[in-house]
Amino acid sequence: MSTRELVTGGAACAVSGSSSSSSNPLGALANALIGSSSKTQERLKEIPNAAAATSHTQFYDDPVAALPGSELDHPFLQSNAQGSDFIRGFRTAHDNGLADAWDEIQRQPHLDRVYNAAPAPPIQPTLDGPPQRVLSSFLHSFVDSSRSGIPLHPTPLPLLGLSQGDKQCIRDRSSIMARHFFADKSEEFINSQVNALLSSLEIDSDSHAKGPMPGRFRELEDYWNESQGILKPGAHAADGWVTEFSQHRAQHGDPDAWAHSFEQQHGAGGWASEFEQNSKFLQFVSKMSRGELIIDDNQVKPASGSWATEYQQQFNGGASWADEFVHDEVSHGPAQWVNEFATEREQEPVDDQWVNEFSKLHVDDWTEEFGRQVGEGALGDSSSDNWATAYDEFLNEQVASKERSDASTGVYVFSDMNPYVGHPNPLKEGQELFRKGLLSEAVLALEAEVMKNPENAEGWRLLGITHAENDDDQQAIAAMMRAQEADPTNLEVLLALGVSHTNELEQAAALKYLYGWLRHHPKYGTLVLPELVDSLYYADVARLFNEAAQMSPEDADVHVVLGVLYNLSREYDKAIASFKTALKLQPNDYSLWNKLGATQANSVQSADAILAYQQALDLKPNYVRAWANMGISYANQGMYEDSIRYYVRALAMNPKADNAWQYLRISLSCASRNDMLEACDSRNLELLQKEFPL
Amino acid sequence: MANTELKSDNLFEMMKIHLATDAGKELTKKIGLVYQINIAPKKIGFDEVSYVVDLKKGEVTKGKYEGGKPDAIFSFKDDDFIKVATGKMHPQIAFMRGAMKIKGSLSAAQKFTPDIFPKPAKL
């Protein structure tokens, strides 16, 4: 389907093969309204394969502007004025002069001025004159009725010679438009308006109705389905566009050839026309976002519900979804896109594909334009920014994902540009820095040490501990694993591994290490029966630990390990009791205070948790983990403003604490400090510190 | 403790207790919807455990929703749910990548954001 046909009529309503050469006034009108902004004119100049220069492409611009999200871009409540303007321009057009009229409309200066235009008095439709004129004036009055709120009366019209395709088109478009015009009116009003319009035009509004479902929802589905009707039978409706592409691809092995053939098939405006097809998709999506359609088993079903009232709510939802593309910085050439597409086709479940597809569109300039417009204009709500920045973050995550995947598979990631490499005794240096509380510096020194001596268990161990205190469990685990390789019986290493895995909610692994602690303990190792090693059940391990505790109640370590174990099983009261016992024996162990606090926090005793964290911080002021935990406890209590300060403090000490960045972001948006989201995403610590001092 | 423990269990436990607090009550006022969340250990749709996060009454229960139809039903893999709930992955991104499946009212689903869930503290 090509947008060329839109102008000439027919195919816009997805009645494939329609070669009606009579203009499609309603379709044109709808497209004009949808795409009505002079800004959109420039949009598609840069779209690949979109030939510029001819006046015909101007036509494509507007309909193509019905791109994901653009429909929702405009304040439809004001579109009435635009509508009348267009109709005015339109009415001056003859059949062949449609092109000129279109150009004229496009050349109008910013349509902002029409927003200020006073509404014209309702105009009675002229009932004589050529069919097109009649139709257009009738439509004009339909539009006007929206502004004046006067219900449209069914008017007997002379035979307009509308084909079935035209009628369906008008039916669909008018119902959609009616919803836009009358978004603030009741459902009944909308229905009556549309019915009046349709009955005057002798369009059967229910021809596709099935059962009790409202006709227009079914219409849209049919509309959608029909548009995909030319594709492989059995293809899921949402696949249609996708399968079409794959068909093209199958025909031309070479990716570039595909692009060329695509261009051939669809003409200069081909790329643009594909977007036009997206306008159906767009409508589909906007229906979805309005809650009219229910996704059930990946089938789309209409939902009942007050569409009109939800519309405004969802206004932002749909557009912000579209905003995703605004910030798509991943550029794929056409070939790559096609390749990816083809491979994905085989691998991924089909439903996901079209979704993934859109996220890879190479439409930088368009999206920039669009993004600017969205940012300036209609939305005026931070949710779209959230989307955009969310997407930015997603991309950042992609970029950083290799690093992360290394760490998550237990591979330690060394820092670049380590000033301590070459230091005569980096281990000592590292220990000193650690003692002083300069955790990030200590990390660097210790890294230099283990680069020099990879078998140095102590170096790895301390590195692991430092990372844990710096609130980076991933690196902590990686370092500790190396330490364990170097020294498999080291109890501190085993405990630290147990703790880190508990934090990562890796219960089985944590249990293994804590059990290992018991096994390798000189005193309690005897308690362990060899056959238990393979199938570890929590209950058994807990029992053993309790026995150990009874053996030597003065051993703080046992209580600590018990505390961690109880955290695993979420028996928080017992965990708290164990930690308190341990603390009585070792009151100056800052990490114990933190453990106590964290346990209390996880059992939602946030006020107590904060007290415990404070104790830890008194003992060790640069304890990044404790700062971050403080932030968490405030945030969980809904005290977002405070939590922000603590997060910023933690991040100032360790800018690499990814957890804290994420939590900071959440707190910022909860505290409605979206102005700082930009700073958060760009990790602008300076600005954040200035803004949120402690 | 069985081997079929999910990481997400922790979050739901926390959520349960959280809803009894003042901050939690705020949530019920703000959102007032019922979510059912199906968590699968390895692959969505297999061996799912369902939780109902009832933000009307302010409670979390295990098992499918009995009192009618939940406003939205989500399906996640265990790891992905943790990522979304702790803010590591945005729900919109999760949806686009197919890491999060939604059934039911999309508008209700859109209210399901990371900040609903209390974050776990680190030992």
Side-chain angles (χ1 to χ4, degrees), chain A residues 316-336:
Chain A
N316 298 319
S320 50
W321 170 90
D323 225 354
E324 292 258 23
F325 307 123
V326 169
H327 293 265
D328 182 46
E329 289 159 15
V330 181
S331 73
H332 293 266
Q336 199 178 345

Side-chain angles (χ1 to χ4, degrees), chain A residues 311-387:
Chain A
Y311 177 74
Q312 277 300 315
Q313 282 176 317
Q314 298 321 311
F315 190 79
N316 298 319
S320 50
W321 170 90
D323 225 354
E324 292 258 23
F325 307 123
V326 169
H327 293 265
D328 182 46
E329 289 159 15
V330 181
S331 73
H332 293 266
Q336 199 178 345
W337 179 86
V338 168
N339 285 334
E340 277 180 332
F341 182 90
T343 47
E344 273 177 271
R345 188 111 183 83
E346 273 84 61
Q347 292 161 14
E348 288 187 322
V350 158
D351 293 318
D352 297 338
Q353 268 182 49
W354 57 264
V355 166
N356 285 329
E357 228 13 81
F358 282 113
S359 63
K360 289 178 182 121
L361 287 172
H362 173 52
V363 283
D364 288 347
D365 298 295
W366 167 80
T367 55
E368 243 182 78
E369 181 66 64
F370 183 78
R372 203 162 18 101
Q373 190 165 2
V374 166
E376 291 164 7
L379 292 177
D381 184 86
S382 60
S383 71
S384 62
D385 290 331
N386 285 341
W387 272 98

Side-chain angles (χ1 to χ4, degrees), chain A residues 295 314 355-356 387 393-394 503 505-507 570 594 598 602 613 625 629 632 636 659 662-663 670, chain B residues 7 10 13-14 17-18 86-88 90 92-93 96-97 103 107 110 115 118-123:
Chain A
I295 310 160
Q314 298 321 311
V355 166
N356 285 329
W387 272 98
E393 275 198 20
F394 166 61
N503 284 336
L505 302 173
E506 309 264 351
Q507 286 126 351
R570 296 193 293 274
N594 178 59
N602 288 340
Y613 294 141
R625 172 149 281 176
N629 277 344
I632 291 174
N636 285 348
N659 268 350
Q662 274 130 23
Y663 293 160
C670 286
Chain B
K7 290 189 197 178
N10 288 279
E13 281 293 318
M14 275 190 79
I17 313 173
H18 177 72
T86 56
K88 281 198 173 71
H90 287 265
Q92 303 93 330
I93 309 263
M96 305 239 26
R97 284 164 119 180
K103 285 187 201 172
S107 61
Q110 279 171 333
D115 46 292
K119 311 287 171 290
K122 306 275 174 180
L123 286 176

